[in-house]
Amino acid sequence: MAYLELTGLEKRYRDAVAVADVTLAVEKGESVALLGPSGCGKTTTLRMLAGLAAPDRGRIAVDGTDITDLPAHRRNMGYVFQSYALFPHMSVARNVTFGLEERGVAAKERAARAADALEMVRLKELGHRRPRELSGGQQQRVALARALVIRPSVLLLDESLSNLDAKLRQTMRREIRDLQRTLAITTLFVTHDQVEALAMCDRIAVMNHGRIEQVGTPADVYERPATRFVAGFVGSVNVLPATRDGQGGLAVWGMPIPGIASFAQGDADVFVRPQRMRLVAASENVAPDVPRLKGKVAQSIFIGDQVETVVSGEGGQVTVQSLSGAPTPQAGTEVQVVWKVEDTLIFSREAS
Amino acid sequence: MTSARWPLLAIPAALLLAVIYVWPSLDLFRTAFNETGATGAMIEAFSLKVWRDLLADPFTYELTVNSLWLSVTATSIALCVAYPIALFLFRTDTRFRGLLAVMAIMPMLVSGVVRIFGWLTILGDQGMVNSAARWLGLISTPMRLLFNWTGVTIGLAESILPYMILALLAGFGRLDRALEEAARSLGASPLRTFVRVTLPLSLPAIVLAAGLGFVLSMSAYITPKLLGGGRVFVLATEIFEQATTNANWPMASAMALYTLVLMLAFLGLSSVLSRRLAQ
């Protein structure tokens, strides 16, 4: 049995379903990201875990104990809020000892543990300050120290990095991940940022419309998305409407797509990631078992490390991403776009 | 030149205030230094005679204590009732929130005299409270709830309630739901959360509302007059007595200024305290 188990969680607000049916098992010491667009129910799931929202149906168990009906203050969850929610009327040190005071930890131990926690987040010197005298990143660290000092059974992070600027977010991502690994603390975090999810977790649960669409390692979810929603939400992707080629296969822009022997009835789209596509000259001979499209370069966009080349053909446009530095074809040049058979993802159109 | 630098729109209001408020206030100030002759007629002067009479009279201090005590008790009672209501209105997400808020401040829209007649039927010897208590067998003779300090305190607390609810709502700025949730997640029970987070963060609002309630109580005239039944003497009723029955305008003016100074002192104290607490 897993350390943390969510079984059939459901939550409605008036007529709206926030969480439809969430089942998830998290191992001890594991870090799992709940990734999804806003309104997908990821924050509601986290709040139900913390006891800040009551599920209408379902069960939450930690280490084999059912905590579904336990009030928030008896759950021992470390919750880091999106706004950090530091107590403005208390010093940083007092914020950190708050949870220990409520647990009746003796003053001496309290001070020692709070000092350790603040040192852990590199804020040892700032204990006497008020939260408003700290920068956003420092406030974030205090919130983290405050949640960790109580030695929670599970650490819950709610969009905790979304209020920081891009540079700081990257640093904090690594810091939190390192802390999580060192303390081997079971962590569940909510984010709508796929890069954050990929960088900070062992496994990702991709949520949409109150349900988990796929759970897997970052590589799993990226390479083998289970649904078209996951394929589109995690990483960027070209969606190419496919047609039947008459022999049971699929064709895109009139070109048969090799390597997909069997595909069920109905309309389908072919998904290919821009980074997995390559441009070759129109004159080049491409083996017949390599999927390809033909078109003209519409424009090239230089985005630093990468160049995005938009190729338009008879059925629409595709974006091809390649490393910058190599010569890029001029707009108007006839080109072929190729990729590997195993990078072809196919999703039926009805299942959207 | 922008309209913001020439606040033309404020001129009508400023003129109106000058005519109906500033000028009479100055006149009041001037009158307080006149004298009252043996016949009761006002003599133009510039003396401190009425002030000496006012401050030498032990009755002034009795009235002061009465006024302060009444204001403090009425404000305290109103605060205890207003705080939970305001907290509920601040937090609720029901679709009836607007309606409930209007209901809470509705008494403001009713004339003070009408409200007092309401209290007469509730608190009288044959009123709702006494009838209910008698029916329940709690009392045999009616409780005296009217025409004494009890009645005035109840009536006054009710009349300042809507203002205090509004003041509390305006002052709840820093009360963030996430802070209470953070306290809960850190192991604080609902009661501990209230004591350690909600209450401290709403202190500025409480001080602000208490200051307002206090000033309104100090200046209340109708409620002490009608619900006090001539047995309740406070500064406001005495000022009216001096100005009308005794026609002693200099004394009434001096007393009014004396009351004004008391009120301003308390108001200043509460706003300083509120700002200090809000930091």
Side-chain angles (χ1 to χ4, degrees):
Chain A
M1 197 165 61
Y3 178 70
L4 169 66
E5 290 197 321
L6 313 182
T7 319
L9 282 184
E10 186 186 315
K11 177 75 183 172
R12 287 161 191 283
Y13 289 108
R14 291 202 190 120
D15 315 319
V17 178
V19 172
D21 178 13
V22 165
T23 299
L24 180 68
V26 181
E27 295 300 332
K28 195 165 176 114
E30 197 184 16
S31 169
V32 172
L34 290 177
L35 175 67
S38 56
C40 74
K42 53 195 194 304
T43 293
T44 306
T45 305
L46 206 68
R47 290 174 60 82
M48 286 194 280
L49 250 163
L52 301 174
D56 296 327
R57 208 173 295 173
R59 184 173 177 271
I60 304 166
V62 174
D63 212 1
T65 315
D66 188 333
I67 61 160
T68 317
D69 298 319
L70 218 57
H73 63 282
R74 299 224 191 90
R75 289 202 184 193
N76 202 37
M77 298 279 176
Y79 201 109
V80 179
F81 291 79
Q82 182 172 12
S83 59
Y84 317 136
L86 297 176
F87 306 124
H89 57 303
M90 296 180 194
S91 69
V92 165
R94 206 71 201 277
N95 265 278
V96 176
T97 53
F98 188 97
L100 300 175
E101 286 165 32
E102 293 304 321
R103 275 168 179 69
V105 174
K108 222 174 167 181
E109 194 193 333
R110 243 170 22 214
R113 275 168 71 176
D116 284 351
L118 281 175
E119 183 157 18
M120 195 166 65
V121 295
R122 300 187 286 115
L123 285 179
K124 205 179 173 187
E125 316 301 322
L126 301 182
H128 59 281
R129 295 245 190 118
R130 285 293 175 102
R132 67 168 187 283
E133 297 167 336
L134 303 183
S135 68
Q138 289 170 330
Q139 291 185 22
Q140 154 82 57
R141 291 204 192 100
V142 175
L144 199 62
R146 186 176 70 173
L148 286 172
V149 78
I150 61 171
R151 294 173 190 153
S153 355
V154 183
L155 179 65
L156 306 170
L157 305 168
D158 181 12
E159 300 267 11
S160 301
L161 300 178
S162 60
N163 288 344
L164 303 177
D165 61 66
K167 261 266 162 53
L168 195 54
R169 210 178 308 160
Q170 234 167 15
T171 321
M172 284 310 293
R173 225 178 259 159
R174 203 166 318 135
E175 267 184 44
I176 293 177
R177 181 63 165 149
D178 286 349
L179 266 177
Q180 187 267 328
R181 282 215 177 105
T182 321
L183 303 171
I185 182 161
T186 313
T187 303
L188 205 65
F189 69 95
V190 153
T191 180
H192 63 269
D193 178 350
Q194 39 152 327
V195 182
E196 193 174 307
L198 294 167
M200 285 173 63
C201 72
D202 300 307
R203 286 191 302 149
I204 296 182
V206 184
M207 286 188 73
N208 190 30
H209 296 310
R211 287 169 205 280
I212 294 181
E213 299 234 344
Q214 185 176 9
V215 188
T217 63
D220 260 346
V221 170
Y222 187 81
E223 300 289 350
R224 288 171 292 281
T227 64
R228 59 187 294 143
F229 172 78
V230 175
F233 194 77
V234 182
S236 46
V237 75
N238 286 302
V239 181
L240 306 162
T243 50
R244 297 266 153 197
D245 69 351
Q247 288 122 45
L250 291 174
V252 172
W253 297 9
M255 304 288 290
I257 303 296
I260 36 167
S262 61
F263 187 72
Q265 294 302 306
D267 291 330
D269 292 319
V270 168
F271 283 55
V272 188
R273 303 215 180 269
Q275 305 84 350
R276 299 294 165 88
M277 287 177 148
R278 221 157 38 83
L279 292 174
V280 297
S283 56
E284 199 171 315
N285 240 336
V286 178
D289 60 343
V290 172
R292 96 207 61 174
L293 300 171
K294 284 182 173 162
K296 264 187 194 161
V297 172
Q299 59 169 330
S300 281
I301 306 156
F302 178 79
I303 49 168
D305 306 339
Q306 308 265 321
V307 178
E308 279 185 2
T309 309
V310 180
V311 175
S312 49
E314 60 179 87
Q317 292 193 322
V318 283
T319 304
V320 180
Q321 219 174 60
S322 49
L323 289 175
S324 57
T328 46
Q330 292 289 309
T333 318
E334 296 273 352
V335 288
Q336 297 186 81
V337 176
V338 298
W339 66 92
K340 291 180 188 154
V341 171
E342 60 264 35
D343 288 331
T344 314
L345 302 164
I346 300 160
F347 293 102
S348 121
R349 210 170 291 162
E350 284 87 68
S352 54
Chain B
M1 205 155 285
T2 64
S3 57
R5 290 178 65 184
W6 275 100
L8 290 169
L9 294 176
I11 286 177
L15 281 176
L16 189 70
L17 275 179
V19 173
I20 69 164
Y21 183 73
V22 178
W23 182 74
S25 296
L26 290 174
D27 191 49
L28 187 80
F29 190 79
R30 176 67 191 88
T31 312
F33 295 95
N34 284 339
E35 281 179 18
T36 310
T39 56
M42 187 164 76
I43 302 160
E44 288 283 329
F46 196 85
S47 82
L48 293 173
K49 187 174 178 306
V50 267
W51 286 97
R52 272 196 298 270
D53 292 348
L54 177 72
L55 296 176
D57 189 349
F59 190 51
T60 306
Y61 301 104
E62 197 188 320
L63 288 172
T64 306
V65 170
N66 284 353
S67 268
L68 290 177
W69 178 243
L70 177 67
S71 301
V72 167
T73 48
T75 303
S76 308
I77 292 167
L79 195 60
C80 292
V81 180
Y83 187 78
I85 294 174
L87 204 55
F88 169 78
L89 286 175
F90 185 71
R91 281 183 180 163
T92 183
D93 53 359
T94 111
R95 62 192 94 185
F96 302 115
R97 183 189 164 141
L99 184 71
L100 290 170
V102 170
M103 276 170 67
I105 58 169
M106 190 86 92
M108 262 168 71
L109 310 176
V110 179
S111 145
V113 178
V114 173
R115 275 208 311 252
I116 282 160
F117 279 110
W119 281 118
L120 293 180
T121 64
I122 293 171
L123 300 177
D125 286 358
Q126 305 298 323
M128 270 162 52
V129 175
N130 275 314
S131 305
R134 215 172 6 235
W135 186 77
L136 288 168
L138 297 174
I139 52 165
S140 50
T141 52
M143 295 176 285
R144 300 286 299 147
L145 297 174
L146 270 183
F147 310 128
N148 56 15
W149 286 100
T150 315
V152 174
T153 309
I154 293 171
L156 202 53
E158 188 263 346
S159 76
I160 61 175
L161 193 62
Y163 298 94
M164 297 192 58
I165 291 173
L166 287 179
L168 284 170
L169 281 173
F172 278 159
R174 281 203 313 171
L175 218 52
D176 178 359
R177 201 72 218 251
L179 294 174
E180 291 165 304
E181 290 179 343
R184 295 297 309 281
S185 79
L186 290 167
S189 65
L191 182 67
R192 291 282 300 164
T193 300
F194 178 79
V195 172
R196 293 200 66 185
V197 177
T198 315
L199 195 60
L201 289 178
S202 52
L203 267 183
I206 290 174
V207 172
L208 200 72
L212 182 68
F214 180 85
V215 167
L216 288 171
S217 304
M218 285 287 282
S219 57
Y221 166 73
I222 299 173
T223 309
K225 184 75 186 169
L226 296 185
L227 287 178
R231 293 189 194 89
V232 168
F233 302 99
V234 290
L235 287 167
T237 54
E238 186 60 20
I239 292 166
F240 189 81
E241 281 306 294
Q242 290 291 348
T244 58
T245 316
N246 300 357
N248 190 344
W249 285 21
M251 182 51 98
S253 302
M255 212 173 237
L257 286 178
Y258 168 78
T259 310
L260 190 66
V261 168
L262 272 182
M263 293 200 303
L264 286 179
F266 269 82
L267 204 59
L269 202 69
S270 101
S271 82
V272 166
L273 198 60
S274 174
R275 221 168 304 151
R276 187 74 51 85
L277 287 167
Q279 274 174 10

